[in-house]
Amino acid sequence: MSVMMEAQCFVYIMASGRNGTLYLGSTTNLSKRVWEHRNGAGSGFTKRYGCRHLVWYEACGDWEAARQRELQMKQWRRDWKVREIEGLNPEWEDLYDRIALP
């Protein structure tokens, strides 16, 4: 019997490197969106500032929840975002391989 998974929405942070430039976004397809950022097809901001590393992400229940979380976090000070990143990913590793579809 096949179990159908409900679509997930995500809030994510891309970075140019450890303590580098940060980009915060939300999406319904995390692996595709991160691939776009890594390959220059994402936002102009990530391309311009070299934000190619997925350093943090959070699954949200639906699109509205993800969008609200993104807007909330965009109001945060940088040190709050860094604390959030380091709570999940203390070494600032690129998490893309963990979420990339085969």
Side-chain angles (χ1 to χ4, degrees), residues 13-24 45 49 51 55 72-86 92:
I13 299 175
M14 303 290 295
S16 60
R18 185 179 188 102
N19 294 310
T21 303
L22 302 178
Y23 173 84
L24 178 65
F45 182 92
Y49 292 100
C51 299
V55 293
Q72 173 193 47
M73 290 180 73
K74 282 186 174 181
Q75 299 300 312
W76 288 9
R77 295 179 358 193
R78 179 184 174 83
D79 61 322
W80 297 354
K81 293 173 192 169
V82 168
R83 195 172 319 135
E84 192 75 16
I85 292 166
E86 291 180 349
W92 288 65

Side-chain angles (χ1 to χ4, degrees), residues 4 7 13 16 18-19 24 29-32 34 40 44 49 55-56 60 62 68 70-71 74 77 82 86 88-89:
M4 193 150 110
I13 299 175
S16 60
R18 185 179 188 102
N19 294 310
L24 178 65
N29 188 333
L30 186 60
S31 61
K32 178 182 176 198
V34 172
Y49 292 100
V55 293
W56 178 89
C60 297
D62 58 29
Q68 288 303 312
E70 175 190 0
L71 293 173
K74 282 186 174 181
R77 295 179 358 193
V82 168
E86 291 180 349
L88 173 72
N89 186 3

